[in-house]
Amino acid sequence: MTPGSAVLKLPDALLYFSDLSSLAHDPRDEMPGHPEAPPRLVAIERRLEAEGWLGWERRPAPAARTDELELVHTHRHVAAIRELSEAGGGAIDVETYDGPDSYRAAAHAAGGAAAMARALLAGEARAGFCAVRPPGHHAEPERAMGFCLFDSVAVAAAVAVAELGTSRILILDWDVHHGNGTEAIFRERDDVLLITIQQELIWPGTGVAGNVGTGAGEGFTINLPVPEGSGRDVFLSLIDRVVAPVAGEFAPELILISAGYDAHAEDPLAGLALHTEDFGQMAVEVRELAGRLGVPVGAVLEGGYAPSALADSVAATMRGLGGAGESVSAPETAVAAAAAERVARFWPAAV
Ligand SMILES: [Zn+2]
């Protein structure tokens, strides 16, 4: 299929994936006050349940198999996380916890993302949302960090390529932090294109614009650092000036979103200024992009540490992905103009 031909008729179904194991992983057992805790997911599901799950079909998030996890992580890493859980758990670093139930939760998180990718590529739905914990995008091939044990969105993309014969996956990471794990996993590959938007100069300190991938993957990592205080205009302009043209040229068969909500103005961990409705609008723009390309889109929950804002923003995302709301014309911003000029070296359609 060529970009823009949009010959596929996408199905109407919308799929929501979750598993109770997500509630059993609780870093507060060893780290009191830890922000990445079960109340995040409780808030999301209370909101969705009160609104009839927005009409989405609920499906279980199955555990990923070891060989699926090892598509993106080393055998040693997967074994180490499992063995620490089995031994009763403990801290991996000052903020990353692997408790007795954490291996199971992380395996279901990755497996849920993979199940979503399978269902979307099988033509069962046009959009999916995977509401799981712990988050994943900081987990590197052999390192758990930043609350993350296994990189769920990366497992989903790798399963799509290795098992389902997909040759082009686009991952858009809009979490406020750099998706360093996903970048490390795919930086040498040209079948998974990562576009990651993050607040510049905050933890983990990576994700500078000059990191574009290496070897065959050169040009297939796009880092879009944005200044503190950036909000709706910057994000919508980056989708319009970078994400959409690059996606049109790359022609992905599936779009995955690393859907973090810590770029929300109310989030305690960072300094960006998105509001609930802005996440909804970003979802609309990605839905419209996916529709033009004739491909499905699936989101995997990452960060977001203000539970009420998180719940509202997830619901707004699901509404947007599901068909509510209309595309708006994006504003011009200097951040997006500079980014478009930069990526045009690899993706001429961006300018
Ligand atoms: Zn984050």
Side-chain angles (χ1 to χ4, degrees), residues 260-328:
Y261 295 89
D262 38 13
H264 197 289
E266 291 175 26
D267 197 274
L269 297 197
L272 295 190
L274 287 175
H275 296 279
T276 298
E277 60 272 23
D278 304 331
F279 285 102
Q281 193 63 47
M282 295 198 304
V284 167
E285 304 306 336
V286 177
R287 178 197 80 211
E288 291 292 305
L289 171 64
R292 289 196 295 276
L293 297 171
V295 302
V297 54
V300 181
L301 182 64
E302 301 284 1
Y305 305 100
S308 180
L310 169 66
D312 289 342
S313 300
V314 167
T317 300
M318 289 171 61
R319 282 199 187 87
L321 291 180
E326 296 190 354
S327 180
V328 296

Side-chain angles (χ1 to χ4, degrees), residues 137-138 146-147 175-178 203 260-263 269 302-305:
H137 71 150
H138 296 305
F147 316 161
D175 188 279
V176 79
H177 302 101
H178 177 227
W203 191 94
Y261 295 89
D262 38 13
L269 297 197
E302 301 284 1
Y305 305 100

Side-chain angles (χ1 to χ4, degrees), residues 9-17 54-59 116 119-120 123-129 296-298 318 321-323:
K9 170 80 175 80
L10 291 165
D12 290 331
L14 303 163
L15 301 177
Y16 176 87
F17 291 82
L54 306 174
W56 289 48
E57 177 187 336
R58 295 177 70 197
R59 289 205 183 169
M116 180 179 73
L120 293 173
E124 294 173 32
R126 65 189 147 88
F129 195 98
V297 54
M318 289 171 61
L321 291 180

